[in-house]
Amino acid sequence: MAGVAIIGSQWGDEGKGKATDLLGSRIDYVVKFNGGNNAGHTVVIGDEKYALHLLPSGILSPGVTPVIGNGVVVDLGVLFEELDHLTERGIDVSKLRVSGNAHVIPEYNRALDQVTERFLGKRRIGTTGRGIGPTYADKINRVGIRIQDLFDERILRQKIEGALVQKNELLVKTYNRRAFSVDEITDNLLSYAERVQPMVGDTSLEVHWALETGKTVVFEAGQATMLDIDHGTYPYVTSSSATAGGVATGAGISPRQIDRIVGIQKAYITRVGSGPFPTELHDADGDRLREAGGEFGVTTGRPRRTGWFDSVIARYSSRINGFTDIVMTKLDVLSEFERIPVCVAYEVDGQRFDEMPLSQSDFHHAKPIYEYFPGWQEDISGMQHFDQLPANARAYVEAIEKLSGARISAVGTGPARDHIIERHNLLG
Ligand code: GDP
Ligand code: IMO
Ligand code: MG
C-alpha cells in the first residue's frame, strides 16, 4: 500500500501538476484534498498544454481514478466546464469521484470574496476572487452547503435561506450590492444535481479500500505551505490546510496511510497576491526570472512576484510537512545567471534568524542573508541525467539539498513531461 502526498513547499506554483503527472503512469488514484478553483496547475504533454483548476492533475493520465475529497470547495459550474473541456480534448473523465461531504461555492460567496477585497483596499489579500475564503468560513461557521445537500431540495432550500439572512445583510447594507434570492441560488445549485449525482460517494471509504488493496494513491495539494491557513504568512494565506497535515482531514484517511511526503520547490521562489516576501527582487534579475520562468498566474494571469531561493522557508516546509523527498523544479530557468544568490538566514534589526521568525512584524522586516553560488550559463533544458548537468548546476542542487533538510529526488529541467532528472524513485 502506498499513499504519496504532493505538497507545495513555497507560495504555490512550484510545479505540483507536473510532479503528479510524472507519477501518472505509476499510480491508481489521485485525490485533491484542499482548496478549489483558486489552484492553477499546468501540465505539458507533448505539444499539448493543459491548465487545470479544480480537477486534480492526475485526471490526464489514462487509468487513474481522480477524486475530489471532502476538504475541497467545489464551484459546480467550473467543475462541469473543466470536465467538458477535457472531454472535448479526448481525455476520459468518466472515473471522477466526488465526496458528498465537500462544500459547494454558492454565487454569493464569489460576490463576497470580490467585494471584501475591493473594500480592503491597500490591505487586500490579493485573492483569486473565486469565493474560496467565504466558503471555508461558512464551513467553520456551520452554515455551508455540501454536495450531498443538492439531493434533498427541502434541506437545500432551508440551508440557503439560513445562509442568506447574513449574506444579504452584508452584501446590501455593508457593501451596497444586490441581494440574492433563495430561489436563484437554489435553482442554480439544483441545476447541477442530476449530473453530479453519479460521481458522488463516500470517497473516504473508497480511498481507504484502494490503499488497503495495495493501490498507489497520490494526494495532490492545491496552494502551498506558506499559503496554509495555520502555517503560512497569515493573514496573507488561502483558507485551507495545504500542508501534509491537511491530507488526512481533507481526504478522510488516517495519517498512518501516508507513506511518502514529497515537497515540490522551485530552484528560486515566487508569490502571487499580497504579503511579505523577504527575497523578492524588484530589479532586472526579478524580470529575467519572470520572463525565463514564464511566471504568470494560470488562474488569474497576474505576473508572479519573483525572488531568489529562500532556504529558511525550505527548512521550515521540510519540518512542518516532514518531506521524505523533494522535487526541485525549474533549474533550467537559472541557467542564464552568472551568480546565483541563495538566502541562508534572515537579519531583523541586527539579529540573525536561522528559523522562521515567530512574529509577523519580524518576518515583514526580514532581510535575506545571501550565500552566492557560481552559475553555469549553459543550456540544460530537457536534460534527464544528473551526470549530464554542468558541475556548477550539480553543486547548486547538492547545496540546496543540504540547506532544505530532505533529499532532492528529482530535478526539473523544462516544462515538458520528460524534462526531468530522477535521482531516486519517488514511490520507492
Ligand atoms: P502548480 O500550481 O504547482 O501545479 O504549478 P503551476 O502549473 O502553476 O506553475 C508551474 C509552471 O512551471 C508551469 O507553467 C509548468 O509547466 C512549469 N514547469 C514545471 N516544471 C518546470 C521545469 O522544471 N522547468 C520549466 N522551465 N518549467 C517548469
Ligand atoms: P496553486 O495550487 C499561488 C493565493 C492568492 C492570494 C491568496 C488567497 O496553483 O499553487 P484565495 O483565492 O485562495 O483566497 O487567495 O492565495 N493563491 C495562490 N497563489 N498558487 C495558487 O495555487 C494559489 N491559490 C491561492 O494569490 O494571495
Ligand atoms: Mg499554480
Side-chain angles (χ1 to χ4, degrees), residues 11-14 16 32 38-41 113 125-133 221-224 227 236-239 271-274 298-300 302 304:
W11 274 295
D13 306 323
E14 298 91 349
K16 297 176 288 293
K32 181 177 169 99
N38 47 347
H41 304 307
D113 189 2
I125 310 292
T127 72
T128 57
R130 304 297 195 258
I132 307 293
Q223 296 74 54
L227 289 172
Y236 299 100
V237 292
T238 191
S239 299
R271 170 161 213 172
V272 201
S274 322
V298 183
T299 300
T300 56
R302 291 178 288 179
R304 295 174 180 152

Side-chain angles (χ1 to χ4, degrees), residues 30 32 54-56 59 64-69 74 79-80 82-83 92-99 196-201 203 206:
V30 60
K32 181 177 169 99
L54 178 55
L55 293 164
I59 199 164
V64 172
T65 302
V67 178
I68 292 183
V74 180
L79 175 68
F80 290 119
E82 252 180 35
L83 288 173
D92 174 17
V93 298
S94 61
K95 287 188 162 173
L96 178 68
R97 306 295 298 145
V98 179
S99 166
V196 81
Q197 189 149 32
M199 304 169 189
V200 177
T203 54
E206 290 171 26

Side-chain angles (χ1 to χ4, degrees), residues 37 39 66 99 109 116 142 253 277 313 337 350 353 358 381 407 410 414:
N37 57 316
S99 166
N109 280 342
T116 39
R142 295 164 293 192
I253 55 139
F277 183 173
I313 287 178
F337 293 92
F353 282 77
L358 176 65
S381 304
R407 68 179 189 181

